[in-house]
Amino acid sequence: MADKKGIEVYLDLLSQPCRAVYIFLHHNKIPHTVKTVALRKGENKTPDFTKLNPMQKVPVMVDNGFVLTESDAILKYLATNYNAPEHWYPRQPERRARVDEYTAWHHANTRPHAAKVFIMEVLLPRMTGQPTDPAKLERALSELDETLEKLESMFLKRQPFLCGDDVTLADLLAVCELMQPLGGGRDILKERPKLATWRSRVQSALKDSFDEAHAVLYRLRDKSRAKL
Ligand SMILES: N[C@@H](CCC(=O)N[C@@H](CS)C(=O)NCC(=O)O)C(=O)O
């Protein structure tokens, strides 16, 4: 049985994988302490943080001296070692394999494609002072659209959640990523009713922890919309 003393997590809630870890811990009432690492202030580049994670990325989890990076590994570790309901990461081999199938695909598809739109519309203009290049944005949106199409046709199909009848780690990672372009005022699911309904379903399943984790992104969205 894992230690009940609690866990330390190093997070910046503007980061999609950090929000997934935060939501999982909060929703499942797993005792933990959040240590904020403000990426915009370069706090991930300090010597202390670099010692903890030489990759200089968040999230990082420390459980009684056991240091773990990568949201996927952290979520699966938490689901396996702490008392989280089984639906998150089912024990039955085929059902678990479905979650692993999505999460492997996620990091090469949903994540880079949704993140690119946010980077182009929010981060790059802030860093360079230059407006978004419309042709590059068009290409990024078209790549993202292919991913959204596959999410609907290959994963969601006719089921309520990406891997079946109940919410899993796959939905959690996916929803946090697909929310990100909202920071630039863009709702990428606006014209995708099937995925938009899925998002509402995931949001309801996660209750307050969803909005709590996304508060900082909502503030960014409101600022972006005010500029339009
Ligand atoms: N594959 C990693 C990705 C972690 C990652 O890219 N984190 C970003 C924030 S979303 C970061 O820390 N970036 C800081 C940097 O690269 O300087 C995971 O899922 O945990």
Side-chain angles (χ1 to χ4, degrees), residues 94-113:
E94 283 84 359
R95 290 179 58 217
R96 174 160 291 199
R98 282 277 168 250
V99 177
D100 291 337
E101 181 182 46
Y102 174 75
T103 57
W105 188 82
H106 172 89
H107 293 284
N109 291 276
T110 314
R111 171 148 175 80
H113 292 146

Side-chain angles (χ1 to χ4, degrees), residues 12 14-18 21 37 39 42 44-45 49 53 55-60 69-74 106-107 111 115 173 177 180:
D12 179 330
L14 205 50
S15 146
Q16 313 80 311
C18 288
V21 169
V37 180
L39 296 178
N44 56 319
K45 307 260 160 99
F49 188 76
N53 182 11
M55 307 276 204
Q56 301 183 318
K57 288 186 190 294
V58 283
V60 179
T69 66
E70 293 295 328
S71 55
D72 203 298
I74 296 171
H106 172 89
H107 293 284
R111 171 148 175 80
L173 281 166
E177 209 59 60
Q180 194 72 356

Side-chain angles (χ1 to χ4, degrees), residues 3-30:
D3 192 299
K4 288 276 190 220
K5 244 183 358 190
I7 287 166
E8 282 181 344
V9 275
Y10 293 75
L11 309 176
D12 179 330
L13 289 184
L14 205 50
S15 146
Q16 313 80 311
C18 288
R19 290 198 297 272
V21 169
Y22 178 91
I23 290 171
F24 190 81
L25 286 165
H26 271 248
H27 185 75
N28 292 302
K29 300 190 169 50
I30 298 172

Side-chain angles (χ1 to χ4, degrees), residues 114-126:
K116 195 167 178 183
V117 170
F118 175 76
I119 291 168
M120 281 186 164
E121 292 196 296
V122 180
L123 295 187
L124 284 180
R126 266 195 193 180

